[in-house]
Amino acid sequence: MPNWVTRAFEGVGQALGRRGDRTAAAEVRNGNGFSGREALYAAAVHSWSLAFLSTDRDGIVTGWNAGAENLFGYGAVEALGRDIEAVVRVADPEAAGTFRDRFCVGQRVPNLATVALGKDGTPIHLIFDISPLRSVTGDHVGASAIARDVTEQRLAEELFGLAVEASPSGMMMIDRSGRIVMVNREIERLFGYHRGELISRPVEILVPEHMRGVHVALRAGFARHPESRKMGHGRELVAMRRDGVEFPVEIALSAVQIRDGLLILAAVVDITERRQTERLKDEFVATVSHELRTPLASIAASLKLLEAGKGGELPPLAQRLVTIAQLSGERLTRLVNDILEIEGIESGSLRFQFGPVSLRATAEQAIETSRDLASQAGLTLTLADSGPGDVWADADRLVQVVTNLLSNAIKFSPAGEEVVLAIDEDDNRVRLSVCDRGPGIPDEFKTRIFSKFAQADGSNIREKGGAGLGLSIVRQIVERLGGQVGYEPAGGGGTVFFVELPRPTAMEGAPASESGPLAAVSVETPGAITRNR
Amino acid sequence: MGDLRILLVDDEPFIRELVEISLGLDPEIAVKSCASGREALDEADLWLPKLVLLDVMMPEMDGPQTLSRLREKEATARTPVVFMTARAQSRDIAHFLTLGVVGVIPKPFDPVGLANEVKRYATPGDMDLRGAGSI
């Protein structure tokens, strides 16, 4: 508070205190008893909308301006000469005495928060700044105070606090040094601690010991680049309860800038149930895989032996029936394989072996694999002249991508047409495109074309024999390979589907391969399955 | 019946029958079938097969368990074993190979090419010669 105000207020207080006159406030307004300048100051203070008040050393009110009148509901005439307790009625009776003492002890008390009842009984959240008043000779004569009404702010804070407290996600705030500064009820429930046991402790007490080093590094990384993100995204983060039991969590982080620096807000979700569901799904898939493939294996092998004449020569009609059964069996096998494939990609359990791959060689291999299918449909497959199209990818998965694109093109192109593959490259990316002669993609289907089990309405897909998984697998694999997939109308009808992949030079410094299975596996796996389709 | 003795272990009767038929197309191959890992352990001791074709998912003693029991026996400690399985996703196959089998044949299998495939695994020294051009 500027000196002149203090002095002016002190003057008012002394004058009123000396005279003990309840009508003094009116006189103050007229400047009675003061020099012209002091009277002006006193009048100014009195008219402020901010609440000013003063007491003598015994807590008797000696000053009460218009702001105080508005705030507490007592006029100056009512307030002056009364005990501060009587006009600033502290809501908590136990705190009332302490509050009064603050005015009597002769010390500065900044930011004293309290709740007082107004004259009409309404609770008012207040912040007081109390300063001792001294006479011109330096004697302690009382105290002056400014009171700010923070009721609305407090209510907003209270609502916010209730929302955080009731949040179904665990919420906590951590300071830059990793110490917990706030937790909500869900955090207490998740981790089995009372909040008093967590506040000011390093957040690592909630992390299993074997992961604490990693966690400190992750936290430091976030503090350096504090963009909001999910900490557990794509990675299983493990948390530890008070009883030592570990559980998987997903954590979303946000940086919160406050006056004293950076705080990290962490929303913690227990994903134990989600993980259990995923495990159940994996088991289910493995079982389905076995239970469906075993009878399929018998059907396919029997038909194949019959078709090969191992059961004796078949009359033409029987031969045709065997062929139909065989094609249907192959289709069912492909469907089971596709479902397993997509499940493997989505769950991340399918490992990719990255390395330099020639897209042209890949296209040639896929054309070879698809040639029978194409000739059955009366189509020719052509690879346009192109360079090697070196990319950074998993060779086997890439063959699968091109094979699926070819399969799609073959399904939708009328007999007698040509499906053309082309490879174009620039400095960073290589594009492989497959141009079909199909009817094009209906507008209403465009948003779903790469989704699982997506089939255009009214299409003759049933007779084409697809489950709507091929393009979905293409997209998932290409995205895992760091590329992108798309389509555009082909000049002269039909559609061009394309994939774009990074060149090896664009991936310098990338790991040579994902940690994964032995090199021999890539020979055994997809090749073997493809041969048997 | 030939002298390349192949012991087949599978709990599915149709699969046993079809594998017997498929391998029986090759005059060099002799096949015996067992319906369980336990049965196979006894049979292998007596018959001394050149190769064991082993199903993975079987009740009681599964493929990997049977494999490790075969390895514990002197007579079959070095007999090549091939898993024949409907659990043939790449992650499964990678895992199986670490267990010490010489190969994995996924189901559904190609009955017409099966004999050649099995012979390649049974005679690894000749693999390059015999494997060339087949399948």
Side-chain angles (χ1 to χ4, degrees), chain B residues 9 37-38 40-41 52 54-56 58 61-73 76-83 95-103:
Chain B
V9 192
R38 198 165 303 283
L41 291 173
V52 178
L54 187 54
D55 184 23
V56 171
M58 292 186 290
M61 192 188 294
D62 67 9
Q65 284 170 326
T66 310
L67 173 65
S68 76
R69 295 289 295 276
L70 285 169
R71 291 287 173 260
E72 288 166 9
K73 289 167 162 279
T76 52
R78 284 181 195 78
T79 309
V81 173
V82 172
F83 276 149
H95 170 65
F96 295 152
L97 290 175
T98 64
L99 301 179
V101 293
V102 295

Side-chain angles (χ1 to χ4, degrees), chain A residues 313-429:
Chain A
E313 198 179 333
L314 297 177
L317 179 59
Q319 184 79 46
R320 175 63 192 152
L321 295 175
V322 167
T323 304
I324 291 171
Q326 214 180 344
L327 290 174
S328 304
E330 283 171 12
R331 180 174 149 192
L332 192 51
T333 306
R334 274 201 304 277
L335 175 62
V336 172
N337 287 342
D338 281 353
I339 290 173
L340 292 173
E341 191 74 26
I342 211 152
E343 191 278 332
I345 297 170
E346 283 181 349
S347 68
S349 58
L350 203 64
R351 301 209 179 243
F352 282 51
Q353 293 250 309
F354 282 90
V357 182
S358 157
L359 206 44
R360 187 178 61 195
T362 304
E364 284 165 353
Q365 196 181 334
I367 286 174
E368 203 48 51
T369 309
S370 309
R371 207 175 285 288
D372 283 353
L373 195 63
S375 65
Q376 282 164 23
L379 294 162
T380 48
L381 303 177
T382 312
L383 176 60
D385 280 346
S386 64
D390 289 327
V391 294
W392 187 258
D394 176 309
D396 293 314
R397 299 289 158 215
L398 205 48
V399 170
Q400 195 181 356
V401 164
V402 183
T403 307
N404 282 12
L405 288 177
L406 282 177
S407 163
N408 187 66
I410 291 166
K411 268 179 211 158
F412 292 99
S413 299
E417 291 286 354
E418 185 181 32
V419 171
V420 182
L421 286 82
I423 294 163
D424 305 289
E425 43 195 311
D426 63 24
D427 290 344
N428 297 316
R429 305 188 79 77

Side-chain angles (χ1 to χ4, degrees), chain B residues 34-57:
Chain B
C34 301
S36 70
R38 198 165 303 283
E39 202 182 309
L41 291 173
D42 294 339
E43 190 63 46
D45 255 355
L46 298 170
W47 199 49
L48 302 175
K50 288 278 176 61
L51 179 133
V52 178
L53 265 182
L54 187 54
D55 184 23
V56 171
M57 289 171 82

Side-chain angles (χ1 to χ4, degrees), chain A residues 188-364:
Chain A
E188 292 181 300
R189 193 191 69 77
L190 278 178
F191 289 90
Y193 287 95
H194 292 296
R195 64 191 66 199
E197 299 170 297
L198 291 172
I199 302 299
S200 300
R201 301 287 305 279
V203 68
E204 274 73 32
I205 68 166
L206 304 177
V207 177
E209 264 180 51
H210 60 94
M211 296 195 65
R212 284 181 188 169
V214 177
H215 191 265
V216 169
L218 279 176
R219 190 160 53 68
F222 181 81
R224 275 196 303 276
H225 303 288
E227 303 86 23
S228 288
R229 64 171 181 240
K230 281 188 174 178
M231 200 169 174
H233 194 66
R235 179 194 319 229
E236 185 163 324
L237 266 142
V238 183
M240 188 177 69
R241 286 184 230 286
R242 187 182 189 176
D243 58 12
V245 173
E246 298 180 11
F247 63 106
V249 287
E250 187 172 83
I251 299 180
L253 298 178
S254 306
V256 181
Q257 200 70 43
I258 59 159
R259 199 170 36 195
D260 301 333
L262 183 82
L263 287 181
I264 298 167
L265 174 66
V268 183
V269 179
D270 180 352
I271 54 172
T272 306
E273 273 183 34
R274 199 195 302 172
R275 290 274 180 256
Q276 278 166 350
T277 310
E278 283 168 7
R279 263 192 290 277
L280 280 177
K281 195 182 82 173
D282 284 350
E283 281 168 27
F284 173 75
V285 166
T287 308
V288 166
S289 161
H290 182 259
E291 296 306 322
L292 283 177
R293 281 159 176 263
T294 301
L296 267 175
S298 298
I299 294 167
S302 302
L303 292 170
K304 180 82 183 175
L305 288 167
L306 268 181
E307 190 220 17
K310 305 300 179 190
E313 198 179 333
L314 297 177
L317 179 59
Q319 184 79 46
R320 175 63 192 152
L321 295 175
V322 167
T323 304
I324 291 171
Q326 214 180 344
L327 290 174
S328 304
E330 283 171 12
R331 180 174 149 192
L332 192 51
T333 306
R334 274 201 304 277
L335 175 62
V336 172
N337 287 342
D338 281 353
I339 290 173
L340 292 173
E341 191 74 26
I342 211 152
E343 191 278 332
I345 297 170
E346 283 181 349
S347 68
S349 58
L350 203 64
R351 301 209 179 243
F352 282 51
Q353 293 250 309
F354 282 90
V357 182
S358 157
L359 206 44
R360 187 178 61 195
T362 304
E364 284 165 353

